[in-house]
Amino acid sequence: MPTPLYVSDEVRALAPDFAHLAVEAHGLTNGPSDGSSAALLDEAARRLVRRLDGRAPQDDPHLAAWRAAYTAFGAKPSRTRNSAEALARRALADGGLPRINRLVDLYNAISVAHLVPVGGEDLDRIQGGMRLVRAAGDEPFATAAGGAEVIEHPDAGEVVWCDDEGVTCRRWNWRQGVRTRLTEDSVSALFLLERMAPMSLDDLAAAGEELAEALQKACPGARVEIGGIRTA
């Protein structure tokens, strides 16, 4: 049974051209970053350079649309960048993309190569379905500060992904919480690819297919399912 996903009417009104695609995977094998995941990240960075052709990431039309969406719910897009823009900037910097673990490296590579926000959640840690809503402001969000887990709360009106236990990702796709993130022990995952116009639905589907193929290659025994594209 696919994980239920719900986009609230308030978010639909904020961004009528928003769409997302879910990829679910079971029987995964994760582990520390290795040569294969590093190669995926390096190739993604090369694809990004070719795509941008000298432009700054924020000047890409898709990332500009995300900046507009962030502004619409009160966020400052130059301070809290959407995940695709943040990764693209790191890919172009001297230090390059971070190495986290094999699964995170894999979906980060897809995000950079396609300039699309991609999130990965541990399905075994999600409580109930996933909902994209505008926050009341009192929802718990588990994050880390100074090496310790702390509970924060989103701003009222902020767009957040949440489950029955609390917020899983703040400011749409800016910062993921520690409770549901993919670790080296994760065996089941939900990946969410998120699009604004002018990125076409065909391009969103292509990114999802590439993610599914990469997961199958990295974890040959896994069962990977691509859900239908959901438009807002």
Side-chain angles (χ1 to χ4, degrees):
M1 178 74 69
T3 301
L5 299 172
Y6 166 78
V7 178
S8 74
D9 289 342
E10 288 184 314
V11 174
R12 293 173 189 273
L14 181 72
D17 61 355
F18 170 68
H20 65 277
L21 173 64
V23 177
E24 283 201 16
H26 302 268
L28 296 167
T29 52
N30 199 9
S33 301
D34 58 16
S36 295
S37 67
L40 287 173
L41 291 170
D42 290 342
E43 174 58 21
R46 289 190 287 269
R47 290 168 65 179
L48 173 68
V49 169
R50 292 194 296 270
R51 176 181 177 134
L52 291 176
D53 193 24
R55 293 175 300 168
Q58 65 267 24
D59 294 330
D60 177 86
H62 188 220
L63 297 189
W66 273 106
R67 281 188 161 228
Y70 270 48
T71 300
F73 70 80
K76 295 183 178 179
S78 293
R79 180 183 298 174
T80 55
R81 297 180 175 90
N82 72 83
S83 63
E85 182 181 333
L87 280 173
R89 289 171 63 89
R90 294 194 69 172
L92 298 173
D94 290 341
L97 288 163
R99 274 58 169 164
I100 309 298
N101 59 56
R102 289 196 295 120
L103 289 178
V104 175
D105 292 353
L106 191 156
Y107 80 73
N108 279 348
I110 297 297
S111 177
V112 169
H114 292 266
L115 274 185
V116 60
V118 183
E121 308 284 353
D122 189 320
L123 272 173
D124 294 327
R125 296 180 178 273
I126 293 174
Q127 304 298 316
M130 297 280 291
R131 301 182 299 280
L132 186 65
V133 301
R134 300 197 71 172
D138 57 355
E139 300 91 340
F141 174 71
T143 187
E149 184 172 316
V150 297
I151 300 298
E152 296 180 352
H153 301 280
D155 298 328
E158 182 181 325
V159 176
V160 297
W161 279 103
C162 61
D163 64 2
D164 290 350
E165 191 168 322
V167 173
T168 59
C169 193
R170 286 196 58 188
R171 293 181 189 164
W172 217 314
N173 47 44
W174 165 62
R175 179 186 291 171
Q176 184 183 35
V178 298
R179 175 171 57 87
T180 60
R181 67 185 175 185
L182 293 175
T183 70
E184 293 179 15
D185 297 324
S186 298
V187 295
S188 296
L190 170 68
F191 301 93
L192 287 173
L193 295 82
E194 301 180 291
R195 158 269 192 199
M196 296 284 181
M199 183 180 192
S200 71
L201 298 180
D202 286 344
D203 285 345
L204 178 63
E209 289 167 3
E210 185 175 339
L211 172 61
E213 290 171 2
L215 288 167
Q216 204 72 71
K217 182 177 180 180
C219 309
R223 175 168 56 88
V224 181
E225 301 174 356
I226 303 176
I229 291 174
R230 301 275 297 276
T231 56

